Amino acid sequence: MICFYMLWLAACCLLLLYSVRFSWSGCSHGSGPRSYPVIGCLVAFYQNRWRLLDWYTELLAASPTQTIVVDRLGARRTVVTANPANVEHILKSNFGNYPKGKPFTDILGDLLGTGIFNVDGELWYAQRKLVSHEFSARALRDLEFAVLEDEARERLVPALSLAAVRGDAGGVVDMQDLLRRFSFDVICRVSLGVDPGCLDPALPEAPRLAVAFDAAAGIIARRGAAPVAAVWKAKRALDVGSERRLREEIRVIHEAVMDLIHIRKKERGLQQPQEVNAGGRRSDLLSRMIECGYPDEAIRDMVISFIMAGRDTTSSALTWFFWLLTRHRDVEREVLREITGGTGASHAAGGQGKMRVLHAALCETMRLYPPVAWDSKHAAAGDVLPDGTRVERGDRVTYFQYGMGRMESIWGADAADFSLQRWLSLPEDNAPPAAVAGVSPFKYPVFQAGPRTCLGKEMAFVQMKFVASTVLRRFELVPVDEGRVPVFLPLMTAHMAGGLNVTVRSRGGEPTIATAAASSGNSN
């Protein structure tokens, strides 16, 4: 009863404060959902709760500035924009005024601690500098490709080959699930130096660590989507329901990583100097950070952040990529011609400037179906965006990647179409720094932009190109329900609702993984 009374009192105070602020700021925000005193746009928000992405996209498209202000009961005042000038202002020109902010770091803090994706200011800058150095190391890039090649040869290709042999007699594969398992194996081997074996057919169930990451990510996503943050915070304080489950899963993750740190330190202490000099040192991120002498908890938080950032992003993009190719067989034929050409194998693991058709297809996929649908910052001080929108201190300011990919003001009248030409028509060698295929990152912020540009962008393209090439040159994927248009679910990383169930057909006569790997190694 005491807890209920306290929550009721807090709600009353919130209503009073909201009413005072609303009266001061006025009921009209220009473009955006219709708002009322006290409740704001809660009615419209509730009516559109199952189609928020499309609703926001429609409101932004109708706005003269491609920016809207959303005020609703129980949430911070939120500025949502699809205006590239505003995005540049938020992510670069006035970067210091738009940190992630405490509301964001509270949501992820239990899992990520002080990892790079959950901090601001000097702590973020120091970690950014460290990770930038590690990501530029040749040893880490070589490890990534070696892991990709091994995981594809030993697990991905055999799994698809088995499905192809079974054919219509039960050979249905959920490509989304297959790709998620593949990605988790790869990211754990590169970051932790251990193989969870998620794609290993010998394991009847998913490894405990993978289950813990899946459960934790789902609960944290629901935290972020909660209409009123006080609800999940109260559950956490009382240690009940999903918050109790989250605490248990985080304990599994933290203990597993800390055990690895201790084991790796013990191994390192037992190594002789000549063994290290002879190349006996490990190249995974965890081992490299141990060598640098960072504290155990800092290493733990960093590698967990890296896993969370990479575990589902590439698999999400590839799932939508394969589905789009089944809807656009002409594009699939273009991509296939490129990857099976005379130098196709050598380009499979190349940088983003190689394999232009495949690169364009991946970019176009992420334009329409970005792995992260939106990203938010919180204003440290009042500001005015380039389009004139007023920002108050503490406001949530969101740039909306999903909506930006559908803005005719940015991409033209064919913005809703899947078209490689918008990428292939751009100059090949004159891309500005941080651009993707010659397109400004503020117009296409799939990998963020400015100081927080994703450090794993190059590694992500390497993985996506390698997987796309490996699968397409050997197999044809046919959706079980070819007329189905999947639903895009914007969780922490976007998912395809219901997965991507396909039957697999072998193309036959394709080179082995080892041959492709050797050619790729020679090209680097």
Side-chain angles (χ1 to χ4, degrees):
M1 286 298 293
I2 295 175
C3 291
F4 176 81
Y5 177 76
M6 290 177 67
L7 287 173
W8 178 83
L9 183 61
C12 290
C13 292
L14 180 65
L15 278 170
L16 179 61
L17 289 171
Y18 193 93
S19 179
V20 170
R21 192 190 74 175
F22 200 95
S23 299
W24 172 76
S25 61
C27 296
S28 176
H29 300 302
S31 299
R34 186 171 182 180
S35 293
Y36 302 91
V38 181
I39 65 169
C41 68
L42 190 61
V43 173
F45 185 88
Y46 181 80
Q47 291 172 337
N48 290 278
R49 66 192 184 282
W50 304 118
R51 56 181 301 271
L52 283 179
L53 295 181
D54 292 330
W55 181 49
Y56 279 178
T57 300
E58 291 162 5
L59 291 170
L60 289 164
S63 167
T65 61
Q66 282 71 63
T67 302
I68 59 174
V69 177
V70 179
D71 252 324
R72 66 178 175 86
L73 179 65
R76 290 174 178 269
R77 180 178 185 268
T78 301
V79 177
V80 183
T81 188
N83 185 321
N86 288 347
V87 175
E88 182 169 8
H89 181 82
I90 295 162
L91 297 183
K92 182 182 177 182
S93 305
N94 201 13
F95 172 76
N97 192 52
Y98 294 98
K100 288 179 177 289
K102 193 171 185 301
F104 179 92
T105 57
D106 279 351
I107 292 172
L108 291 171
D110 293 326
L111 175 60
L112 299 187
T114 57
I116 189 172
F117 301 112
N118 204 49
V119 291
D120 292 306
E122 290 300 319
L123 189 55
W124 166 80
Y125 179 79
Q127 292 191 48
R128 173 83 180 190
K129 188 175 180 180
L130 161 69
V131 176
S132 178
H133 172 73
E134 295 302 330
F135 273 42
S136 63
R138 178 63 184 259
L140 194 64
R141 297 199 303 270
D142 288 347
L143 174 64
E144 181 199 17
F145 183 62
V147 168
L148 285 171
E149 187 260 329
D150 183 66
E151 190 75 15
R153 181 186 63 241
E154 299 297 329
R155 292 171 181 163
L156 181 61
V157 170
L160 291 171
S161 296
L162 180 60
V165 170
R166 289 176 176 171
D168 294 331
V172 174
V173 171
D174 179 356
M175 283 300 293
Q176 178 168 256
D177 180 65
L178 196 71
L179 292 166
R180 289 182 69 195
R181 290 169 177 266
F182 176 89
S183 294
F184 190 75
D185 280 353
V186 170
I187 201 70
C188 283
R189 291 175 69 177
V190 173
S191 60
L192 299 176
V194 296
D195 181 5
C198 286
L199 203 51
D200 189 340
L203 295 178
E205 297 180 357
R208 183 67 182 91
L209 184 61
V211 172
F213 267 105
D214 281 340
I219 296 170
I220 286 174
R222 290 193 289 277
R223 274 184 175 184
V228 181
V231 174
W232 70 258
K233 289 184 178 181
K235 288 169 66 178
R236 181 176 65 178
L238 297 170
D239 194 28
V240 297
S242 59
E243 289 296 317
R244 173 176 236 177
R245 169 81 186 280
L246 178 62
R247 181 177 56 79
E248 293 169 353
E249 301 301 343
I250 289 173
R251 178 176 51 79
V252 170
I253 295 168
H254 282 188
E255 286 181 357
V257 176
M258 291 300 285
D259 285 347
L260 278 173
I261 292 171
H262 297 150
I263 291 170
R264 205 64 50 79
K265 281 188 169 182
K266 186 176 180 180
E267 288 177 355
R268 187 165 177 264
L270 293 173
Q271 277 187 316
Q272 299 299 318
Q274 60 268 26
E275 292 177 317
V276 174
N277 295 333
R281 59 164 58 96
R282 293 173 176 263
S283 299
D284 57 87
L285 185 64
L286 183 144
S287 297
R288 293 178 67 84
M289 291 188 68
I290 289 174
E291 284 188 12
C292 291
Y294 290 94
D296 290 357
E297 288 194 1
I299 297 171
R300 180 199 68 191
D301 293 347
M302 282 295 299
V303 295
I304 290 175
S305 292
F306 185 39
I307 292 171
M308 288 298 292
R311 61 188 291 273
D312 284 342
T313 47
T314 54
S315 62
S316 172
L318 284 167
T319 298
W320 289 101
F321 167 79
F322 285 123
W323 175 72
L324 283 166
L325 291 196
T326 68
R327 305 275 289 190
H328 301 272
R329 293 296 185 183
D330 56 330
V331 174
E332 182 184 43
R333 286 191 292 271
E334 285 186 62
V335 173
L336 194 56
R337 273 196 297 269
E338 182 177 65
I339 65 177
T340 56
T343 56
S346 66
H347 287 169
Q352 71 180 68
K354 299 176 182 178
M355 300 194 76
R356 290 194 75 218
V357 176
L358 175 55
H359 193 75
L362 290 167
C363 290
E364 184 69 346
T365 296
M366 291 185 287
R367 181 182 71 86
L368 293 169
Y369 299 102
V372 178
W374 47 40
D375 188 32
S376 296
K377 314 296 180 186
H378 290 82
D383 192 18
V384 177
L385 299 181
D387 67 3
T389 302
R390 176 178 51 82
V391 176
E392 298 175 11
R393 182 177 181 273
D395 279 357
R396 180 177 178 176
V397 182
T398 299
Y399 63 96
F400 187 36
Q401 295 99 307
Y402 180 90
M404 291 182 76
R406 286 160 172 74
M407 289 294 114
E408 292 188 5
S409 59
I410 297 176
W411 300 101
D414 65 343
D417 299 337
F418 180 71
S419 171
L420 269 56
Q421 195 55 36
R422 73 178 84 251
W423 304 92
L424 296 176
S425 62
L426 296 169
E428 202 171 340
D429 298 318
N430 297 320
V436 177
V439 173
S440 165
F442 307 110
K443 174 180 174 180
Y444 182 77
V446 170
F447 295 93
Q448 291 208 52
R452 279 193 182 265
T453 298
C454 176
L455 289 169
K457 180 175 70 174
E458 302 295 337
M459 294 179 72
F461 271 112
V462 166
Q463 182 170 331
M464 289 188 292
K465 287 180 179 181
F466 179 81
V467 173
S469 299
T470 297
V471 172
L472 290 175
R473 66 195 292 116
R474 292 166 177 78
F475 307 104
E476 179 186 359
L477 307 179
V478 181
V480 172
D481 182 359
E482 295 205 52
R484 169 182 172 243
V485 178
V487 174
F488 182 84
L489 292 179
L491 303 177
M492 279 187 70
T493 301
H495 289 72
M496 181 182 286
L500 177 57
N501 293 316
V502 300
T503 55
V504 184
R505 297 173 184 170
S506 178
R507 297 190 192 275
E510 295 301 335
T512 65
I513 290 284
T515 301
S519 300
S520 297
N522 292 335
S523 71
N524 289 336

